[in-house]
Amino acid sequence: MIFNQKQLFLGTTHIALRAESLYVCKRNPQGVATLETEIPYEEILPVKASEYRHIPTNQLLLTGLLLAFLGYAPLREWLATGEAGNQLYLWVVILGINALAMWLRFEQQWSTFRLQTAHLALTLAGRPWQRKQFRALVAELERRTKTYLRHEYGQVNPLGFIEPQLRRVAWLRELNVLSAREAQALSTRLTGRRSTEPLKGMGQELESPYLN
């Protein structure tokens, strides 16, 4: 799965979900890579995503009223005489600059997407038409990461070294790759015990019962 985004004056962002890793590349408008990294799925979880949206309506309203006030006289003169004066051209330039500034602030401050993993925090422009694609990217990243970890590390061998495998099961449980029931079943298969927690009786620790 691939996610691409191009921002004015900032360059492009390319995100790709590969077979064993997450690839991220950010390039400036000249095409030079300012960030290029490939993170293995072992270092991804937990995945967090957020969408920030705060548009200062009062500020926009005041700006619009000010622009309307400045443009009232030039527009009235143009409608009356049919000739565009210097004031009208100046007003059009000011209008264009304000529109461009608002668009940049919308993409960089007022509406943003944020993707965060264990070792990466990435901020993207929160464009409404890319919201569905961004959410799909986050869901697929988490699904693919958990599937990969389950396939590569979710198997145990009772004939091998027990302690490293128990730590691996605990790690997968901590990352929510395995459910509590699955982690308990794997631990039981490794140790022959229903629980790895020590039992206590008369103030002393007792051995947990083994399964036949």
Side-chain angles (χ1 to χ4, degrees):
M1 184 175 185
I2 296 176
F3 181 94
N4 289 311
Q5 187 177 88
K6 186 175 182 179
Q7 292 180 267
L8 189 64
F9 301 134
L10 292 181
T12 60
T13 302
H14 175 80
I15 304 174
L17 304 185
R18 294 181 173 177
E20 299 180 353
S21 62
L22 168 68
Y23 174 77
V24 178
C25 181
K26 299 189 73 171
R27 297 183 182 275
N28 61 21
Q30 290 73 40
V32 179
T34 57
L35 170 67
E36 188 171 13
T37 182
E38 190 165 0
I39 306 174
Y41 287 138
E42 289 87 348
E43 301 177 10
I44 292 292
L45 296 176
V47 176
K48 297 180 181 179
S50 60
E51 300 177 18
Y52 174 81
R53 186 178 180 87
H54 175 69
I55 299 178
T57 54
N58 292 335
Q59 179 183 344
L60 292 177
L61 180 60
L62 290 175
T63 302
L65 291 174
L66 179 60
L67 290 172
F69 175 76
L70 294 175
Y72 175 75
L75 285 172
R76 184 178 180 182
E77 180 182 355
W78 175 60
L79 292 174
T81 63
E83 296 180 358
N86 292 333
Q87 288 186 343
L88 181 61
Y89 291 130
L90 179 61
W91 178 77
V92 171
V93 171
I94 294 175
L95 182 64
I97 293 175
N98 275 272
L100 178 60
M102 288 180 184
W103 172 254
L104 292 177
R105 294 187 67 183
F106 175 82
E107 288 211 326
Q108 299 174 20
Q109 299 178 17
W110 296 344
S111 182
T112 57
F113 298 147
R114 184 174 176 84
L115 172 62
Q116 185 173 354
T117 69
H119 300 286
L120 176 70
L122 195 62
T123 301
L124 304 165
R127 297 168 180 168
W129 57 88
Q130 285 192 309
R131 181 176 292 114
K132 184 176 181 181
Q133 186 183 4
F134 174 74
R135 292 175 178 176
L137 171 72
V138 174
E140 179 62 17
L141 173 61
E142 185 168 14
R143 186 200 67 80
R144 190 173 297 194
T145 300
K146 290 183 177 181
T147 300
Y148 175 83
L149 293 179
R150 180 186 289 270
H151 179 266
E152 295 293 328
Y153 302 98
Q155 307 298 323
V156 296
N157 180 11
L159 300 180
F161 292 104
I162 303 300
E163 188 174 342
Q165 296 186 77
L166 286 175
R167 287 198 297 266
R168 191 172 66 203
V169 170
W171 171 62
L172 293 176
R173 175 65 191 125
E174 182 181 355
L175 296 178
N176 205 28
V177 175
L178 298 176
S179 66
R181 183 185 296 272
E182 290 172 325
Q184 183 61 57
L186 291 176
S187 298
T188 300
R189 185 182 173 192
L190 285 171
T191 63
R193 302 176 181 179
R194 291 188 181 274
S195 174
T196 57
E197 295 293 330
L199 300 178
K200 291 188 177 181
M202 301 296 291
Q204 297 181 347
E205 290 188 0
L206 304 176
E207 289 288 331
S208 299
Y210 284 82
L211 298 180
N212 295 326

